C-alpha cells in the first residue's frame, strides 16, 4: 500500500504452518480473504528471493537455500489450494455448552 513493498524479507516454514493452522479454523469468507492475502504476501517474498538465484552460477550453499525456497513455494501453493477448496460451514445460531465426557448432570 502507498508504494511500500512487503517489509518481511524472508519466509520460514513456521510462517506457512501458522497460515495452514488458521486455515483449518476459517468460518467466514472474510477469514478466507484475510488468509489468502497473507499467503500471497509470503508467496511474493519467496518469488523475490528466488529471482536472486536466476541466471547466475550458484555455489553449494546457495543451491541449498534455493532448494529450500522451492519447497516453501510448493508448500505455499498447497496451502493456497487448501484455502480455495475449503467450504465455509453454514452459520449455526443457538446456545452451545461444552461439558466433560460422561457427564450426567
Amino acid at each position: 500500500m502507498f508504494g511500500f513493498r512487503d517489509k518481511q524479507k524472508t519466509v520460514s516454514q513456521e510462517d506457512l504452518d501458522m497460515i495452514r493452522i488458521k486455515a483449518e479454523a476459517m468460518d467466514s469468507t472474510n477469514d478466507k480473504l484475510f488468509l489468502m492475502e497473507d499467503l500471497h504476501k509470503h508467496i511474493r517474498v519467496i518469488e523475490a528471493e528466488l529471482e536472486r538465484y536466476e541466471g547466475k552460477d550458484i555455489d553449494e550453499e546457495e543451491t541449498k537455500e534455493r532448494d529450500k525456497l522451492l519447497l516453501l513455494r510448493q508448500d505455499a501453493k498447497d496451502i493456497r489450494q487448501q484455502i480455495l477448496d475449503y467450504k465455509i460451514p453454514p452459520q449455526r445460531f443457538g446456545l452451545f455448552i461444552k461439558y466433560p465426557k460422561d457427564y450426567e448432570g
Side-chain angles (χ1 to χ4, degrees), residues 11 13 32 47 55 57 59 66 69 79 81-82 94 104:
V11 175
Q13 186 63 50
K32 205 171 188 178
E47 293 293 338
D57 293 331
D59 62 16
R66 188 192 67 194
L69 289 169
I79 294 170
Q81 196 58 49
Q82 175 189 356
E104 298 181 21

Side-chain angles (χ1 to χ4, degrees), residues 50-101:
L50 281 170
E51 284 178 11
R52 293 186 305 154
Y53 298 107
E54 287 183 18
K56 74 174 205 172
D57 293 331
I58 54 177
D59 62 16
E60 186 176 332
E61 187 65 32
E62 289 174 322
T63 301
K64 288 179 184 178
E65 184 63 27
R66 188 192 67 194
D67 291 345
K68 178 183 157 193
L69 289 169
L70 291 171
L71 289 173
L72 287 174
R73 181 172 65 179
Q74 184 58 47
D75 193 31
K77 287 180 180 181
D78 293 343
I79 294 170
R80 179 184 171 276
Q81 196 58 49
Q82 175 189 356
I83 292 171
L84 289 173
D85 291 344
Y86 186 80
K87 303 292 182 211
I88 304 296
Q91 286 187 333
R92 294 178 24 195
F93 297 98
L95 180 61
F96 304 102
I97 301 172
K98 290 185 179 183
Y99 55 89
K101 186 177 177 181

Side-chain angles (χ1 to χ4, degrees), residues 14-59:
E14 180 181 2
D15 297 327
L16 297 179
D17 290 344
M18 296 307 286
I19 291 175
R20 189 182 300 272
I21 290 168
K22 289 176 186 176
E24 293 174 1
M26 288 186 296
D27 62 356
S28 72
T29 304
N30 286 336
D31 290 344
K32 205 171 188 178
L33 287 169
F34 172 76
L35 285 176
M36 193 61 79
E37 287 174 358
D38 195 25
L39 181 62
H40 277 283
K41 286 179 187 176
H42 292 308
I43 290 173
R44 282 192 297 273
V45 171
I46 292 169
E47 293 293 338
E49 287 185 37
L50 281 170
E51 284 178 11
R52 293 186 305 154
Y53 298 107
E54 287 183 18
K56 74 174 205 172
D57 293 331
I58 54 177
D59 62 16

